């Protein structure tokens, strides 16, 4: 499944990454160097004018389906709030080699990171899985640490996908439209670990956003970086309402199941959470 023509330009995608990083910070979902963004492009992209310096790297996970494509990714330790002002200093472009075991990392003269994000294995694994299974030629992936969602994942009553979705989808009519698949709640895993990557890949097969318990979220979109961030915003807003209701002693009724179904029917939405 190819993205609609015309393909986004490299400049447009770099701009999207910068604006999206700033938005993630505006909603307090990325403290200091937390959070990271990647974009897969399955068409030929000229990156040397933006990223003239090249080095060969081993990929953290095999990605044969991405061979010939390019992955933009943020650098480890770079603050998402700074990318908009200095995007080339915080982003690298990886051209994936045949076989998907190695690649060429292109960076700019203003590079301010030693290596790509520590979550690059999770990003790459999601791109590999989605491209190999669905044949897409574009995908944006965003990892953030929204505080209210993360807090709820520390509470035993919310530590299943069923409980979390029932909680966060009941506060805004728009939520069932924008998060029709809901959110997959994953168990706590060591950040950057193989287990974390495997759990995340499996979760994003059926959902477009996962909640890494006691850590943060990862969302994906076949349309734009902005759309992946939108999913974080809607899920975090639902969690914020739920948190407010907990503080108030559970006094709000929220949308009923019938009201949510009414919204879904009006907009032609199908969801397991109806």
């Amino acid at each position: 499944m190819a993205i609609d023509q015309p393909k986004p330009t490299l400049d447009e995608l770099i701009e999207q990454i910068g604006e999206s990083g700033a938005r993630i910070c505006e909603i307090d979902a990325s403290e200091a160097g937390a959070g990271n963004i990647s974009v897969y492009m399955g068409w030929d992209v000229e990156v040397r004018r933006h990223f003239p310096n090249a080095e060969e790297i081993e990929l953290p996970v095999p990605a044969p389906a991405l061979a010939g494509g390019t992955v933009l990714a943020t650098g480890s330790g770079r603050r998402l709030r700074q990318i908009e002002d200095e995007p080339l200093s915080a982003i690298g472009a990886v051209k994936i080699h045949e076989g998907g075991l190695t690649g060429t990392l292109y960076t700019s003269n203003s590079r301010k990171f030693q290596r790509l994000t520590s979550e690059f294995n999770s990003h790459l694994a999601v791109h590999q899985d989605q491209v190999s299974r669905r044949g897409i030629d574009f995908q944006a992936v965003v990892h953030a640490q929204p505080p209210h969602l993360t807090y709820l994942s520390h509470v035993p009553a919310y530590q299943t996908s069923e409980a979390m979705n029932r909680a966060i989808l009941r506060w805004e009519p728009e939520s069932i439209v924008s998060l029709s698949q809901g959110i997959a709640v994953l168990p706590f895993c060591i950040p950057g670990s193989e287990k974390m990557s495997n759990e995340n890949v499996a979760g994003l097969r059926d959902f477009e956003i996962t909640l890494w318990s006691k850590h943060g979220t990862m969302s994906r979109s076949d349309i734009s970086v902005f759309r992946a961030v939108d999913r974080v915003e809607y899920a975090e807003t639902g969690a914020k309402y739920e948190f407010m209701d907990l503080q108030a002693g559970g006094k709000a009724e929220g949308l009923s199941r019938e009201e949510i179904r009414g919204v879904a029917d009006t907009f032609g939405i199908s969801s397991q959470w109806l």
Side-chain angles (χ1 to χ4, degrees), residues 1-273:
M1 182 175 64
I3 193 172
D4 291 341
Q5 296 285 357
K7 308 290 189 187
T9 67
L10 186 59
D11 283 319
E12 288 172 337
L13 291 174
I14 290 172
E15 184 177 358
Q16 282 191 31
I17 292 173
E19 291 183 22
S20 296
R23 182 57 185 157
I24 287 292
C25 291
E26 287 173 354
I27 64 172
D28 296 325
S30 175
E31 65 279 3
N36 32 74
I37 300 172
S38 73
V39 174
Y40 165 72
M41 298 167 285
W43 58 90
D44 187 45
V45 182
E46 174 52 60
V47 300
R48 294 300 292 263
R49 292 182 181 177
H50 295 75
F51 307 103
N53 305 309
E55 61 184 274
E56 302 306 300
I57 63 171
E58 291 187 7
L59 301 181
V61 295
L66 310 185
T70 302
V71 177
L72 297 177
T74 52
S76 179
R78 301 315 302 155
R79 299 172 181 85
L80 292 186
R81 62 179 177 268
Q82 295 174 323
I83 296 177
E84 192 170 25
D85 293 332
E86 294 184 285
L88 298 186
S89 71
I91 298 171
V94 181
K95 291 273 191 179
I96 310 298
H97 295 168
E98 190 68 30
L101 299 178
T102 60
T104 301
L105 170 61
Y106 294 94
T107 55
S108 76
N109 291 327
S110 61
R111 171 180 177 174
K112 292 184 179 179
F113 59 91
Q114 290 189 330
R115 58 185 178 84
L116 296 175
T117 168
S118 61
E119 306 287 0
F120 189 49
N121 63 331
S122 290
H123 285 261
L124 202 61
V126 171
H127 292 307
Q128 161 65 23
D129 189 69
Q130 292 290 322
V131 172
S132 64
R133 287 174 176 272
R134 300 172 53 229
I136 57 175
D137 70 349
F138 175 86
Q139 182 170 239
V141 172
V142 174
H143 168 53
Q145 295 181 184
H148 296 92
L149 275 170
T150 304
Y151 168 77
L152 290 182
S153 76
H154 284 265
V155 180
Y158 296 93
Q159 289 174 349
T160 66
S161 296
E162 171 80 19
M164 184 66 72
N165 283 288
R166 296 296 179 206
I168 67 175
L169 294 176
R170 68 191 183 111
W171 294 110
E172 293 185 309
E174 296 89 348
S175 295
I176 194 62
V177 178
S178 298
L179 288 175
S180 58
Q181 291 182 320
I183 181 170
V185 178
L186 309 183
F188 175 76
C189 300
I190 301 300
S193 66
E194 182 179 358
K195 186 175 189 297
M196 175 76 266
S197 178
N198 291 341
E199 292 277 358
N200 188 57
V201 165
L204 286 172
R205 287 175 186 159
D206 297 319
F207 299 81
E208 290 172 316
I209 178 170
T210 54
L211 174 57
W212 303 355
S213 286
K214 306 177 183 180
H215 182 171
T217 61
M218 182 166 274
S219 56
R220 63 174 178 81
S221 171
D222 305 343
I223 297 173
S224 69
V225 188
F226 298 143
R227 189 64 63 88
V229 173
D230 288 346
R231 293 189 169 112
V232 179
E233 286 199 67
Y234 275 111
E236 172 63 0
T237 299
K240 184 175 181 180
Y241 276 110
E242 186 70 16
F243 178 79
M244 292 165 58
D245 192 48
L246 288 174
Q247 288 184 309
K251 296 180 180 180
E253 61 181 17
L255 293 166
S256 68
R257 296 281 288 276
E258 291 72 23
E259 288 169 333
I260 295 173
R261 288 193 194 99
V263 174
D265 290 344
T266 299
F267 288 91
I269 298 298
S270 176
S271 172
Q272 66 176 309
W273 309 114

